[in-house]
C-alpha cells in the first residue's frame, strides 16, 4: 500500500510539472462554459451575423436548462474524450520505451501497483477536470438559462464519470499493449467509436454496453432516472474496466522494457 | 560462502540462445566481473538476476533471503543505460527509490543526501536530471542502486559509456564500494576487471568460457613468452625468414613479422639458449630481446576469439 501511494504521488507530481493539471481541466471548463453561454447569446449572434433578410424574425425556442447540460455532455463525447486519450496515450508505453519502467520495476514494487498508481492518477485528473467543467456548465446554465434540478445533475455526473473512466482505462490498456502512443490513442478512440456505433445499431444485443453510458447520462440529466438497466450498464462497465486493468498488468509483466 | 548460486541458467529469444546453461557462484563480499565481448550474454544474465527477465530454464538462488521475500529488495541494479525521470531532480529520484524500498519520509530524504554526497554530485542534487551529463547520470544510477544497502550490487557495463576521466572517477568509486557489499559487474574491457575484481567469469556466446579467481587464472594459464626485435636490416630479415622455416618442439604459439618474432614457449631455457646461440652465430642485429609471460589479455583474447 505504501509503494502505491509513493508512485501515485509521483504521478500526480509529474502531471503538475507537465501542466496537465492545468490544461486538461481548462479544456473541460471551457467546453462546459461554452454550451450555456452560446445558447444564451445565440439569438444575438445570429442577428449580428447581418445577412438576414430585412424584417425577418428569429424565433429560437429557448431550451431547458437540463437540455443545455445534456448538450455539454455531447461536447465531452467528442472533445473531452479526445483530450483524455491524448493525455494518457503514453502513460505506460512512455515509461517502457524510455526505460524508466525497468528502473522502477527492479525495486520491490508489484506490477499491479505500478499500473494501479498510473490508473488512479488518470482517474483523479479526469474526475477533477470533468467535475470542474460540468459544474461550471451548471453554474452558467443556472444563471443564464434557468434552474436545473440537482438530482439529475449528480446522477448524470456520476454516470458520465464512469464513461470517462471507461475511456481512460481503455487508453491505459492500449498504452500497455502498444509501443506507439499515437497507436494507443488511435486504438482507444477507434474502440470508443466502434462501441458507440455498435450500441446504437444493435440496441437489443448491446443493452448493457458501456456505450450506453453517454445516452444514459444525458437521459438522467433530463429525467433524473436511474433504473435497473442503468445499474446493469454501470456494473458491466466496472467489470470491463477491471479486466482491462488486469490485461495492462499482464502486458507490462511480459514486457517491462523494450529489450525483453 | 556463496551469496548467489546460479545453475544452468538459460535464456532463449526465439532461436537465439542469449544465455546457454551457465552456472556460477558469487562469494559473499567478493567482486566478480562478468567479462565478455558484445553479444556474449552479459546483460541478459544480469537482467535475469534482477528479475526483469524470466529465465527460460535454470535456477538462481540467493542465500540470506527470507522465504517469500522479494529478491529485488536485496539487489541494487544499474542498467547499461540508466533512465530517469528528466523532470525530477536527482534528489527527488533518490528519495523515490528510497521510499519504494520502504524508507519512510525523513529517512529517505536523509539517505538521498548521503548518497548524493557519496557519489559526488551533491552540488547538482536539486537540479533537474534532464540537464545532467552522462557521467552524472551514471553516478546517480549508482546512487539509486545503493539506496537500500543491497546485498548484491549488479552493474551492467558501468564505465563503458564514459569518457576517460569519468571512467577513472567511477572506477575509483567502485573500488570503495566493493568493500561494503558484494559486487557483480559486467564489462568487455579486461583491464577494468583486473583492476577491480577478485573473480572473473569470462563469457562467450552465452556460455562460460573460463571462471575463477583472477590470481589463480593468471597463475594457471601464464606461459613464458619470448620477444625478439631486429634492426630490420637485410641480414637479419633473411635470418628470420630462414629461422621461421624450421619446426621447433618448444614453440606453443608463434607470431612473426619480417623484423620481429613473438613466441609462446613451453621450455623457456631451451628456447632462450638456442635462440641466443643462433643469433650470435648469424650476426643478427638484435634491437630487443625480452623474456616475459603471457598476460591475462592474451588469455582473454584467446578465450573469446579462439
Ligand atoms: N530482446 C532480445 N531479443 C532477441 N535477441 C536478444 C534480445 N536481447 C539480447 N538478445 C541477443 O542475445 C545475445 C546476448 O545479448 P546481451 O545479453 O545483450 O549481450 P551483452 O550484454 O554481453 O553484450 C545477443 O546475441 C543479442 O543479440
Ligand atoms: Mg550488454
Amino acid at each position: 500500500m505504501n509503494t502505491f501511494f509513493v508512485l501515485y504521488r509521483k504521478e500526480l507530481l509529474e502531471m503538475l510539472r507537465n501542466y496537465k493539471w492545468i490544461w486538461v481541466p481548462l479544456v473541460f471548463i471551457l467546453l462546459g462554459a461554452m454550451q450555456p453561454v452560446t445558447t444564451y447569446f445565440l439569438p444575438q449572434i445570429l442577428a449580428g451575423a447581418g445577412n438576414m433578410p430585412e424584417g425577418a424574425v428569429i424565433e429560437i425556442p429557448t431550451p431547458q436548462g437540463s437540455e443545455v447540460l445534456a448538450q455539454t455532455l455531447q461536447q465531452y463525447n467528442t472533445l473531452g474524450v479526445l483530450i483524455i486519450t491524448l493525455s494518457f496515450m503514453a502513460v505506460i508505453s512512455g515509461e517502457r520505451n524510455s526505460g524508466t519502467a525497468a528502473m522502477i520495476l527492479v525495486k520491490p514494487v508489484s506490477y499491479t501497483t505500478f499500473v494501479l498508481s498510473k490508473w488512479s492518477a488518470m482517474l483523479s485528473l479526469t474526475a477533477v477536470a470533468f467535475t470542474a467543467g460540468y459544474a461550471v456548465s451548471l453554474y452558467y446554465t443556472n444563471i443564464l438559462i434557468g434552474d436545473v434540478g440537482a438530482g439529475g445533475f449528480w446522477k448524470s455526473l456520476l454516470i458520465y464519470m464512469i464513461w470517462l473512466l471507461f475511456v481512460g482505462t481503455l487508453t491505459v490498456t492500449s498504452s500497455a499493449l502498444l509501443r506507439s502512443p499515437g497507436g494507443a490513442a488511435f486504438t482507444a478512440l477507434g474502440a470508443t467509436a466502434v462501441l458507440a456505433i455498435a450500441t446504437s445499431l444493435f440496441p437489443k444485443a448491446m443493452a448493457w454496453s458501456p456505450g450506453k453510458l453517454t445516452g444514459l447520462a444525458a437521459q438522467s440529466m433530463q429525467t433524473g432516472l436511474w433504473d435497473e438497466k442503468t445499474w446493469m450498464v454501470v456494473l458491466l462497465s466496472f467489470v470491463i474496466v477491471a479486466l482491462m486493468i488486469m490485461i495492462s498488468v499482464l502486458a507490462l509483466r511480459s514486457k517491462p522494457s523494450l529489450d525483453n | 560462502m556463496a551469496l548467489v548460486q546460479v545453475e544452468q541458467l538459460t535464456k532463449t529469444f526465439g532461436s537465439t540462445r542469449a544465455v546457454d546453461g551457465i552456472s556460477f557462484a558469487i562469494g559473499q563480499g567478493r567482486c566478480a566481473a562478468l567479462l565478455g565481448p558484445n553479444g556474449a550474454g552479459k546483460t541478459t544474465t544480469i537482467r535475469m538476476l534482477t528479475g526483469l527477465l524470466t529465465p527460460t530454464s535454470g535456477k538462481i538462488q540467493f542465500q540470506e533471503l527470507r522465504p517469500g521475500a522479494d529478491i529485488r529488495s536485496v539487489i541494487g541494479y544499474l542498467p547499461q543505460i540508466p533512465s530517469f525521470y528528466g523532470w525530477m531532480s536527482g534528489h527527488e529520484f533518490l528519495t523515490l527509490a528510497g521510499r519504494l524500498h520502504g524508507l519512510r519520509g525523513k529517512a529517505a530524504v536523509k539517505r538521498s543526501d548521503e548518497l548524493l554526497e557519496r557519489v559526488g554530485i551533491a552540488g547538482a542534487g536539486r537540479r533537474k536530471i534532464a540537464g545532467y551529463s552522462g557521467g552524472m547520470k551514471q553516478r546517480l544510477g549508482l546512487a539509486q542502486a545503493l539506496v537500500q544497502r543491497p546485498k548484491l550490487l549488479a552493474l551492467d557495463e558501468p564505465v563503458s559509456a564514459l569518457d576517460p576521466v569519468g571512467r577513472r572517477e567511477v572506477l575509483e568509486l567502485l573500488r570503495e564500494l566493493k568493500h561494503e557489499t558484494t559486487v557483480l559487474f559486467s564489462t568487455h574491457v579486461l583491464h577494468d576487471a583486473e583492476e577491480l575484481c577478485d573473480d572473473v567469469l569470462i563469457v562467450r556466446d552465452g556460455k562460460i568460457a573460463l571462471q575463477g579467481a583472477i590470481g589463480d587464472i593468471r597463475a594457471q594459464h601464464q606461459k613464458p613468452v619470448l620477444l625478439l626485435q631486429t634492426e630490420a636490416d637485410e641480414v637479419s630479415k633473411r635470418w628470420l625468414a630462414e629461422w621461421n622455416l624450421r619446426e621447433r618442439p618448444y614453440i606453443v604459439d608463434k607470431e612473426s613479422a619480417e623484423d620481429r618474432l613473438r613466441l609462446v614457449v613451453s621450455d623457456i631455457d631451451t628456447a632462450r639458449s638456442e635462440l641466443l646461440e643462433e643469433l650470435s652465430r648469424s650476426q643478427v642485429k638484435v634491437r630487443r630481446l625480452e623474456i616475459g609471460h603471457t598476460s591475462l589479455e592474451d588469455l582473454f583474447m584467446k578465450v573469446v576469439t579462439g
Side-chain angles (χ1 to χ4, degrees):
Chain A
M1 214 50 203
N2 182 38
T3 51
F4 169 81
F5 283 112
V6 172
L7 287 177
Y8 176 64
R9 259 180 53 181
K10 173 246 153 196
E11 292 298 323
L12 296 187
L13 185 66
E14 179 166 14
M15 294 194 300
L16 203 63
R17 298 257 170 104
N18 61 23
Y19 304 109
K20 273 190 192 152
W21 273 114
I22 301 194
W23 65 264
V24 176
L26 205 64
V27 170
F28 272 87
I29 288 170
L30 283 178
L31 288 173
M34 218 154 68
Q35 201 57 39
V37 170
T38 49
T39 306
Y40 180 74
F41 287 110
L42 196 58
Q44 280 103 309
I45 294 168
L46 286 182
N51 48 8
M52 289 283 164
E54 198 70 34
V57 182
I58 309 164
E59 283 281 359
I60 300 170
T62 314
Q64 297 250 298
S66 58
E67 282 175 62
V68 175
L69 280 180
Q71 284 160 1
T72 300
L73 291 182
Q74 266 176 21
Q75 293 289 321
Y76 292 154
N77 277 346
T78 47
L79 289 172
V81 163
L82 185 68
I83 287 297
I84 288 177
T85 40
L86 291 182
S87 304
F88 298 108
M89 62 187 181
V91 69
I92 291 184
S93 59
E95 292 224 16
R96 178 192 285 137
N97 297 353
S98 73
T100 47
M103 296 292 280
I104 298 299
L105 292 168
V106 291
K107 303 190 164 46
V109 174
S110 86
Y111 287 73
T112 309
T113 302
F114 187 85
V115 170
L116 278 181
S117 71
K118 290 190 165 285
W119 178 82
S120 307
M122 176 280 295
L123 180 57
S124 307
L125 178 60
T126 304
V128 168
F130 167 63
T131 306
Y134 203 37
V136 165
S137 193
L138 175 73
Y139 175 77
Y140 281 111
T141 305
N142 275 338
I143 293 179
L144 300 175
I145 315 277
D147 266 352
V148 179
F153 173 78
W154 286 114
K155 277 179 193 143
S156 66
L157 181 111
L158 213 60
I159 297 174
Y160 202 82
M161 189 94 84
I162 296 168
W163 169 244
L164 292 180
L165 166 70
F166 181 83
V167 173
T169 310
L170 197 58
T171 312
V172 171
T173 307
S174 304
S175 92
L177 290 170
L178 301 174
R179 179 187 290 203
S180 134
F186 187 79
T187 306
L189 286 172
T192 311
V194 167
L195 186 66
I197 293 168
T199 305
S200 65
L201 282 185
F202 313 108
K204 279 243 175 62
M206 306 284 276
W208 299 345
S209 149
K212 278 251 185 296
L213 285 166
T214 53
L216 286 174
Q219 182 194 324
S220 70
M221 178 70 248
Q222 280 160 312
T223 63
L225 194 73
W226 185 310
D227 57 5
E228 207 164 294
K229 235 177 80 194
T230 312
W231 275 118
M232 290 315 294
V233 173
V234 167
L235 204 71
L236 186 62
S237 303
F238 280 138
V239 169
I240 296 175
V241 163
L243 281 176
M244 286 196 289
I245 293 175
M246 280 194 244
I247 291 170
S248 313
V249 173
L250 291 178
L252 183 66
R253 183 168 297 158
S254 74
K255 201 169 171 52
S257 72
L258 280 189
D259 43 8
N260 269 70
Chain B
M1 196 187 74
L3 175 72
V4 192
Q5 185 89 43
V6 170
E7 272 165 46
Q8 290 300 315
L9 196 61
T10 300
K11 179 75 190 179
T12 53
F13 295 105
S15 60
T16 337
R17 284 177 102 72
V19 172
D20 191 2
I22 70 175
S23 304
F24 62 87
I26 305 173
Q28 185 97 53
R30 305 282 286 184
C31 173
L34 197 57
L35 179 63
N38 284 333
K42 305 182 293 291
T43 299
T44 309
T45 304
I46 292 185
R47 285 161 59 87
M48 284 192 281
L49 279 177
T50 60
L52 266 181
L53 268 183
T54 318
T56 307
S57 64
K59 256 199 327 209
I60 299 171
Q61 270 180 315
F62 247 86
Q63 304 294 318
E64 280 198 38
L65 196 64
R66 281 170 288 113
D70 193 332
I71 199 173
R72 296 175 297 176
S73 62
V74 294
I75 298 187
Y77 169 56
L78 172 63
Q80 193 161 354
I81 305 163
S83 323
F84 303 97
Y85 302 111
W87 53 269
M88 278 190 185
S89 70
H91 190 272
E92 282 171 331
F93 191 85
L94 290 180
T95 309
L96 173 70
R99 295 221 165 108
L100 291 178
H101 273 294
L103 293 181
R104 290 183 183 267
K106 287 241 173 61
V109 171
K110 191 162 151 276
R111 182 78 181 135
S112 308
D113 286 328
E114 265 169 43
L115 285 168
L116 285 170
E117 197 72 48
R118 182 73 208 266
V119 301
I121 50 170
R126 313 280 157 173
R127 286 200 344 238
K128 294 270 179 291
I129 301 173
Y132 281 19
S133 69
M136 287 160 82
K137 281 190 185 156
Q138 207 68 14
R139 285 150 186 268
L140 182 61
L142 212 50
Q144 63 84 37
L146 288 168
V147 77
Q148 86 280 29
R149 303 178 207 279
K151 297 237 188 302
L152 176 69
L153 190 57
L155 313 169
D156 197 358
E157 308 228 7
V159 295
S160 299
L162 298 178
D163 61 27
V165 178
R167 180 190 195 85
R168 191 75 264 140
E169 289 169 349
V170 171
L171 282 175
E172 281 311 313
L173 204 59
L174 291 180
R175 197 192 303 284
E176 294 169 23
L177 288 172
K178 73 172 192 178
H179 298 300
E180 295 168 25
T181 182
T182 309
V183 179
L184 172 69
F185 88 102
S186 78
T187 176
H188 60 263
V189 183
L190 170 77
H191 189 69
D192 296 341
E194 257 186 304
E195 196 170 331
L196 227 47
C197 283
D198 314 310
D199 301 317
V200 61
L201 304 152
I202 302 184
V203 284
R204 186 190 160 210
D205 296 336
K207 296 196 177 70
I208 291 203
L210 189 64
Q211 66 174 313
I214 287 192
D216 295 350
I217 290 182
R218 198 182 274 126
Q220 277 166 23
H221 294 266
Q222 134 175 316
K223 293 218 175 64
V225 172
L226 197 151
L227 204 71
L228 169 71
Q229 195 181 356
T230 69
E231 293 284 3
D233 57 305
E234 285 308 312
V235 177
S236 308
K237 279 199 228 168
R238 206 170 325 116
W239 172 83
L240 192 57
E242 276 166 27
W243 192 91
N244 265 332
L245 294 177
R246 251 179 62 196
E247 291 282 331
R248 280 154 229 265
Y250 49 80
I251 294 180
V252 177
D253 192 28
K254 181 172 81 175
E255 281 170 47
S256 78
E258 58 174 14
D259 67 329
R260 70 187 65 209
L261 187 65
R262 182 180 182 280
L263 301 175
V264 178
V265 296
S266 51
D267 179 355
I268 187 65
D269 293 331
T270 315
R272 174 164 36 200
S273 60
E274 223 185 274
L275 195 66
L276 279 172
E277 197 183 316
E278 289 182 43
L279 285 170
S280 70
R281 178 149 26 90
S282 310
Q283 301 200 319
V284 175
K285 292 185 177 164
V286 174
R287 173 180 286 174
R288 194 154 76 102
L289 179 65
E290 196 180 296
I291 312 293
H293 289 286
T294 49
S295 63
L296 271 182
E297 188 75 47
D298 300 319
L299 177 64
F300 176 53
M301 289 311 289
K302 213 173 95 193
V303 167
V304 300
T305 58

